[in-house]
């Protein structure tokens, strides 16, 4: 998910997406611990998506506080 796509979402949608991505990340890590994933880069991508979502959410919080 690109940052431009994330910025188009509402704050509520971003919070929901963070929860979904965190669940996905936990599932990927668990599956990888049991048996190696075909593509372990999916874990890296999931972590980056969570970070992007949290970054945009934090930017919105800071901009709301300044105004």
């Amino acid at each position: 998910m690109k940052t431009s796509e994330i910025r188009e979402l509402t704050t509520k949608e971003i919070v929901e997406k963070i929860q979904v991505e965190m669940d996905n990340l936990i599932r990927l890590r668990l599956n990888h611990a049991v048996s190696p994933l075909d593509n372990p880069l999916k874990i890296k991508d999931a972590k980056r998506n969570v970070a992007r979502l949290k970054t945009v959410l934090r930017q919105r919080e800071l901009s709301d506080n300044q105004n």
Side-chain angles (χ1 to χ4, degrees), residues 30-44:
L30 181 63
N31 289 342
H32 188 61
V34 173
S35 64
L37 294 175
D38 293 335
N39 187 0
L41 292 178
K42 288 182 181 180
I43 296 172
K44 186 177 182 180

Side-chain angles (χ1 to χ4, degrees), residues 4 16 30 32 45 50-51 56-58 61:
S4 59
E16 292 172 359
L30 181 63
H32 188 61
D45 291 339
V50 170
V56 171
L57 186 63
R58 180 66 179 154
E61 289 174 0

Side-chain angles (χ1 to χ4, degrees), residues 6 15 21 25 27 33-36 39-40 42 44 54 65:
I6 296 170
V15 172
E21 287 292 327
L25 178 60
R27 192 176 317 107
V34 173
S35 64
N39 187 0
K42 288 182 181 180
K44 186 177 182 180
K54 286 184 176 184
N65 288 339

Side-chain angles (χ1 to χ4, degrees), residues 2-28:
K2 293 186 178 184
T3 307
S4 59
E5 295 171 356
I6 296 170
R7 291 187 197 283
E8 294 174 2
L9 300 174
T10 64
T11 303
K12 185 176 179 182
E13 290 173 336
I14 291 175
V15 172
E16 292 172 359
K17 280 286 230 185
I18 289 173
Q19 187 60 41
V20 169
E21 287 292 327
M22 288 296 291
D23 291 343
N24 184 32
L25 178 60
I26 291 168
R27 192 176 317 107
L28 284 171

